[in-house]
Coordinates of all heavy atoms in Angstrom, one line a residue:
I301 N 97.7 69.1 75.0 CA 96.7 69.8 75.8 C 95.4 69.1 75.7 O 94.9 68.7 74.7 CB 96.5 71.3 75.2 CG1 97.8 72.0 75.1 CG2 95.5 72.0 76.1 CD1 98.5 72.3 76.4
K302 N 94.8 68.8 76.9 CA 93.6 68.1 77.0 C 92.4 68.8 76.4 O 92.3 70.0 76.7 CB 93.3 67.7 78.4 CG 94.2 66.6 79.0 CD 93.7 66.2 80.4 CE 94.5 65.1 81.0 NZ 94.1 64.7 82.4
G303 N 91.6 68.1 75.6 CA 90.4 68.8 75.1 C 89.2 68.4 75.9 O 89.2 67.6 76.8
L304 N 88.1 69.0 75.6 CA 86.8 68.8 76.3 C 86.4 67.4 76.4 O 85.8 66.9 77.3 CB 85.7 69.7 75.8 CG 85.8 71.2 76.1 CD1 85.0 72.0 75.1 CD2 85.4 71.5 77.5
K305 N 86.7 66.6 75.3 CA 86.2 65.2 75.2 C 86.9 64.3 76.2 O 86.4 63.2 76.4 CB 86.4 64.7 73.8 CG 85.5 65.4 72.7 CD 85.8 64.8 71.3 CE 85.0 65.6 70.3 NZ 85.4 65.1 68.9
E306 N 87.9 64.8 76.9 CA 88.6 64.0 77.9 C 87.8 64.0 79.2 O 88.1 63.2 80.1 CB 90.0 64.6 78.2 CG 91.0 64.4 77.2 CD 91.6 63.0 77.2 OE1 91.5 62.4 78.3 OE2 92.0 62.5 76.1
F307 N 86.8 64.9 79.3 CA 86.0 65.0 80.5 C 84.5 64.6 80.3 O 84.0 64.8 79.2 CB 86.1 66.5 81.0 CG 87.5 67.0 81.1 CD1 88.1 67.6 80.1 CD2 88.2 66.7 82.3 CE1 89.4 68.0 80.2 CE2 89.5 67.2 82.4 CZ 90.1 67.8 81.4
P308 N 83.9 64.1 81.3 CA 82.4 63.8 81.2 C 81.6 65.0 80.7 O 81.9 66.1 81.1 CB 82.0 63.4 82.6 CG 83.3 63.0 83.3 CD 84.4 63.9 82.7
R309 N 80.7 64.7 79.8 CA 80.0 65.8 79.2 C 79.2 66.7 80.2 O 79.1 67.9 80.1 CB 78.9 65.2 78.2 CG 78.1 66.2 77.4 CD 79.0 67.0 76.4 NE 78.2 67.8 75.5 CZ 77.8 67.4 74.3 NH1 78.1 66.2 73.9 NH2 77.1 68.3 73.6
E310 N 78.8 66.0 81.3 CA 78.0 66.8 82.3 C 78.9 67.7 83.1 O 78.4 68.5 83.9 CB 77.3 65.8 83.2 CG 78.1 64.9 84.0 CD 78.4 63.6 83.3 OE1 78.2 63.6 82.0 OE2 78.8 62.6 83.9
E311 N 80.2 67.6 82.9 CA 81.2 68.5 83.6 C 81.7 69.6 82.8 O 82.6 70.3 83.2 CB 82.3 67.6 84.2 CG 81.8 66.7 85.3 CD 83.0 65.9 86.0 OE1 84.1 66.2 85.7 OE2 82.7 65.0 86.8
W312 N 81.2 69.7 81.5 CA 81.6 70.8 80.7 C 80.9 72.1 81.2 O 79.7 72.1 81.5 CB 81.2 70.6 79.3 CG 81.9 69.5 78.5 CD1 82.7 68.5 79.1 CD2 81.8 69.2 77.1 NE1 83.1 67.7 78.1 CE2 82.6 68.0 76.9 CE3 81.1 69.8 76.1 CZ2 82.7 67.5 75.6 CZ3 81.3 69.2 74.8 CH2 82.1 68.1 74.6
P313 N 81.7 73.2 81.3 CA 81.0 74.5 81.6 C 80.2 75.0 80.4 O 80.5 74.5 79.2 CB 82.2 75.4 81.9 CG 83.3 74.8 81.2 CD 83.1 73.3 81.1
P314 N 79.3 75.9 80.5 CA 78.6 76.5 79.4 C 79.7 77.1 78.4 O 80.4 78.0 78.8 CB 77.8 77.6 80.0 CG 77.6 77.1 81.4 CD 78.8 76.5 81.8
L315 N 79.8 76.6 77.2 CA 80.9 76.9 76.4 C 80.9 78.3 75.8 O 81.9 79.1 75.8 CB 81.0 75.9 75.2 CG 81.4 74.5 75.6 CD1 81.6 73.6 74.4 CD2 82.6 74.5 76.5
G316 N 79.7 78.7 75.3 CA 79.6 80.0 74.6 C 80.0 81.2 75.5 O 80.9 82.0 75.1
I317 N 79.4 81.3 76.6 CA 79.7 82.4 77.5 C 81.1 82.4 78.1 O 81.8 83.4 78.2 CB 78.6 82.5 78.6 CG1 78.8 83.8 79.4 CG2 78.7 81.3 79.6 CD1 77.6 84.1 80.4
T318 N 81.6 81.1 78.4 CA 83.0 81.0 78.9 C 84.0 81.4 77.8 O 84.9 82.2 78.1 CB 83.2 79.6 79.3 OG1 82.3 79.2 80.3 CG2 84.6 79.4 79.9
F319 N 83.8 80.9 76.6 CA 84.7 81.2 75.5 C 84.7 82.7 75.2 O 85.8 83.4 75.1 CB 84.3 80.4 74.3 CG 85.2 80.6 73.1 CD1 86.3 79.8 72.8 CD2 84.9 81.6 72.2 CE1 87.1 79.9 71.7 CE2 85.7 81.8 71.0 CZ 86.8 81.0 70.8
Q320 N 83.6 83.3 75.0 CA 83.5 84.7 74.5 C 83.9 85.7 75.6 O 84.6 86.7 75.3 CB 82.1 85.0 74.0 CG 81.5 84.1 72.9 CD 82.4 84.1 71.6 OE1 83.3 84.9 71.5 NE2 82.1 83.2 70.7
S321 N 83.5 85.4 76.8 CA 83.9 86.4 77.9 C 85.4 86.4 78.1 O 86.1 87.4 78.2 CB 83.2 86.0 79.2 OG 83.5 84.7 79.6
Y322 N 86.0 85.2 78.0 CA 87.5 85.1 78.1 C 88.2 85.8 76.9 O 89.1 86.6 77.2 CB 87.9 83.6 78.1 CG 89.4 83.4 78.1 CD1 90.2 83.6 79.2 CD2 90.0 83.0 76.9 CE1 91.6 83.4 79.2 CE2 91.4 82.8 76.9 CZ 92.2 83.0 78.0 OH 93.5 82.8 78.0
H323 N 87.7 85.6 75.7 CA 88.4 86.3 74.6 C 88.2 87.8 74.6 O 89.1 88.5 74.2 CB 87.8 85.6 73.3 CG 88.5 84.3 72.9 ND1 88.2 83.2 73.6 CD2 89.5 84.0 72.0 CE1 89.0 82.2 73.2 NE2 89.7 82.7 72.2
L324 N 87.0 88.2 75.0 CA 86.8 89.7 75.0 C 87.7 90.3 76.1 O 88.2 91.4 75.9 CB 85.3 90.0 75.3 CG 84.3 89.8 74.1 CD1 82.9 89.9 74.6 CD2 84.6 90.9 73.1
M325 N 87.8 89.6 77.2 CA 88.7 90.1 78.3 C 90.1 90.3 77.7 O 90.8 91.3 77.9 CB 88.7 89.2 79.5 CG 89.7 89.6 80.6 SD 89.9 88.2 81.8 CE 90.9 87.1 80.8

Side-chain angles (χ1 to χ4, degrees):
I301 305 297
K302 286 184 178 179
L304 287 159
K305 293 179 184 176
E306 287 283 335
F307 306 92
R309 184 66 174 266
E310 62 272 17
E311 294 183 6
W312 292 10
L315 292 188
I317 189 169
T318 303
F319 180 94
Q320 302 301 351
S321 57
Y322 174 75
H323 279 74
L324 283 172
M325 176 193 70

